[in-house]
Amino acid sequence: QVQLVESGGGLVQAGGSLRLSCAASINIFAFNAMGWYRQAPGKQRELVASITSGGSTNYADSVKGRFTISRDTANNALYLQMNTLIPEDTAVYYCNAKRFLNGVELWGQGTQVTVSS
């Protein structure tokens, strides 16, 4: 069992950038996939970006070309680089880890991202 802890959220003007970090307590390769989700007030939680243990990435259409998901094996961490932010990106962002074999899924506590127009 691991614990995921997000950081890096904040308030930024439209067009600005933020980098979110997710620190994991064990080797991230123990999980088949990790991802970033977000949930805005009054909306469902949605997948923003994911990366498999093999390095394959996937992005929501709304963030393609602006966000980049990456991992740092040395620091056992997951990152989300967010560029050219728009107000629609405002949400609480959550780190997620999924192990397919036994269905274990872990979530971080979330970090608030607010983009002003």
Side-chain angles (χ1 to χ4, degrees):
Q1 185 173 326
V2 302
Q3 182 175 5
L4 307 176
V5 180
E6 303 98 332
S7 62
L11 174 64
V12 64
Q13 290 188 36
S17 299
L18 285 172
R19 191 186 193 195
L20 306 184
S21 299
C22 174
S25 61
I26 66 170
N27 192 333
I28 61 176
F29 289 109
F31 293 82
N32 299 107
M34 298 189 72
W36 289 96
Y37 289 73
R38 67 185 181 188
Q39 187 166 25
K43 295 187 176 181
Q44 295 181 330
R45 186 173 297 187
E46 64 175 345
L47 177 65
V48 176
S50 64
I51 185 167
T52 68
S53 59
S56 298
T57 58
N58 186 63
Y59 297 91
D61 188 64
S62 59
V63 307
K64 288 179 180 177
R66 300 189 297 118
F67 291 11
T68 303
I69 189 170
S70 62
R71 63 191 180 195
D72 183 341
T73 57
N75 292 303
N76 207 32
L78 184 75
Y79 302 100
L80 184 67
Q81 179 66 46
M82 305 185 294
N83 297 326
T84 319
L85 286 160
I86 59 176
E88 289 76 14
D89 296 321
T90 296
V92 177
Y93 284 71
Y94 298 91
C95 181
N96 169 267
K98 180 73 173 181
R99 186 149 55 198
F100 298 149
L101 180 61
N102 59 7
V104 170
E105 189 169 19
L106 301 177
W107 295 91
Q109 83 287 354
T111 185
Q112 176 71 49
V113 171
T114 303
V115 184
S116 61
S117 59

